[in-house]
Amino acid sequence: MGQVQGFYSYGYQPGVAQSSMDVPLAFNPPSAMSIDRLDQWLGEWFHATAPSVTEVWGLTASAGLRLTALPAFLSRVLAFYEVMCQAGDLPAVVPGRIVRLEKHEAQWRVVLRVPVVNGPPPQVFSDLVKSAMRLAALLMRTRPSLEEAQRLYEQMETQLLTPLRRQFAGGRANSLVARLAHRRGIPFSHLGGGVMQLGYGVRAQLTLRSSCLQDSAIAARVCAD
């Protein structure tokens, strides 16, 4: 479905409120695109909503490209990427962007800007983008049902999410903290080992999952599981 050509950049980029990475892909889009079916999968089985095309399309497409189902498909790919990050306890809380989209000979080329966190190697996130694109292409051909959802959840857990959690020791609490910080306009970054920094300079606060520097030793001991 898609092939990663290389990495453009890694760090803070315009249009994304957290550290991000540009992932260029060359791919052949599905012959028949059922965007409504993808939205049904996202809403009913993943409890997610795809961002609008205008929200994720960061730059103007190349000349001759029309507003077709392809940008809508890519916005759903970005939504599945976010779902996978959250399921793998990675605090990626902002939607990605479509930076470039153009046709080159028989293939389409796209650059997706996706939110990332420090710690896991960049290849982890490029693999997540490829997995999200394969998943979106598969689900457009699959009628939503309980049986299909259970089979899909089991495959994602064993093949993708469990190995991902082993590489990132952040825990689910970090995703919740990052989402709340983003909602309140507080800059955040993952420093590694599950440690999050909220804010900058003298007002910066460090958190480790649901603990912070202001926690007393006695309180932490009493509240421990």
Side-chain angles (χ1 to χ4, degrees):
M1 179 64 192
Q3 181 180 2
V4 174
Q5 302 295 320
F7 302 116
Y8 282 179
S9 57
Y10 188 88
Y12 285 96
Q13 302 294 329
V16 180
Q18 70 177 101
S19 185
S20 65
M21 183 175 72
D22 285 2
V23 181
L25 292 166
F27 70 104
N28 294 314
S31 56
M33 293 195 182
S34 178
I35 302 301
D36 290 340
R37 179 169 290 179
L38 281 182
D39 289 340
Q40 185 178 2
W41 272 106
L42 279 169
E44 295 181 7
W45 300 99
F46 291 95
H47 306 291
T49 303
S52 65
V53 173
T54 55
E55 183 181 359
V56 301
W57 207 337
L59 296 178
T60 304
S62 60
L65 178 64
R66 298 178 180 178
L67 285 174
T68 63
L70 184 54
F73 168 74
L74 292 173
S75 73
R76 274 67 181 174
V77 171
L78 292 172
F80 281 117
Y81 171 87
E82 184 178 352
V83 166
M84 290 178 178
C85 286
Q86 294 176 6
D89 296 335
L90 293 174
V93 300
V94 297
R97 302 291 294 271
I98 303 172
V99 177
R100 187 178 303 124
L101 178 60
E102 58 188 4
K103 192 170 185 179
H104 182 74
E105 298 179 350
Q107 284 188 318
W108 284 90
R109 292 184 176 179
V110 63
V111 177
L112 298 179
R113 179 168 294 165
V114 295
V116 299
V117 295
N118 298 330
Q123 187 64 39
V124 169
F125 301 101
S126 67
D127 289 344
L128 282 175
V129 172
K130 290 189 291 183
S131 298
M133 184 168 286
R134 287 194 296 266
L135 178 61
L138 170 66
L139 295 184
M140 281 199 300
R141 306 189 303 267
T142 306
R143 189 178 300 276
S145 67
L146 178 60
E147 293 76 16
E148 290 292 342
Q150 289 177 336
R151 181 180 61 83
L152 179 63
Y153 293 160
E154 291 174 359
Q155 290 180 350
M156 291 179 60
E157 185 65 34
T158 57
Q159 300 177 13
L160 180 67
L161 300 180
T162 298
L164 183 61
R165 295 189 190 104
R166 293 196 186 105
Q167 298 186 58
F168 182 74
R172 183 163 300 178
N174 271 355
S175 294
L176 299 176
V177 170
R179 183 170 297 277
L180 182 60
H182 174 65
R183 190 179 304 163
R184 297 192 175 186
I186 301 173
F188 65 91
S189 60
H190 178 252
L191 304 182
V195 178
M196 296 278 292
Q197 176 177 311
L198 305 179
Y200 296 123
V202 296
R203 297 186 180 276
Q205 299 291 329
L206 299 181
T207 67
L208 177 61
R209 298 178 178 87
S210 58
S211 301
C212 66
L213 293 177
Q214 281 69 36
D215 292 344
S216 68
I218 296 177
R221 186 63 176 250
V222 171
C223 296
D225 294 336

